[in-house]
Amino acid sequence: GMGHSEGLLVGALGLVAWAVGRRRHGVAGVAVALAAGVKLWPLALALPVVRRGGRRSAVALAVAGALVALPLLHGPSLAGLRDSLG
């Protein structure tokens, strides 16, 4: 039942690159959060994006990250997340 989510990841990473190039720092923060919602390794981009974008990208990343993570805080999903990280 699990689809391949790499397409969403690639799209989000492309959006990060576009937003950083256009100095759309809030969009870059949201895009990093979306990419991290698919796989965890894009969180490595969070620090460079926040350093470049400052407060705007940090707030956007935090809010979008919280919204992306919210469904995972449900009991069975949280247990599955723990098992997957283990």
Side-chain angles (χ1 to χ4, degrees):
M2 294 296 293
H4 291 281
S5 55
E6 285 79 12
L8 180 59
L9 174 67
V10 170
L13 292 176
L15 185 58
V16 170
W18 175 84
V20 167
R22 299 281 184 176
R23 294 189 173 123
R24 302 287 310 258
H25 304 300
V27 173
V30 169
V32 168
L34 290 175
V38 177
K39 302 281 184 185
L40 291 178
W41 65 262
L43 285 175
L45 297 173
L47 185 59
V49 166
V50 169
R51 279 188 177 171
R52 181 172 273 214
R55 188 174 300 175
R56 176 171 285 178
S57 62
V59 169
L61 181 102
V63 170
L67 290 174
V68 167
L70 193 60
L72 298 175
L73 298 179
H74 183 258
S77 297
L78 189 58
L81 180 63
R82 277 192 223 127
D83 291 342
S84 176
L85 290 174

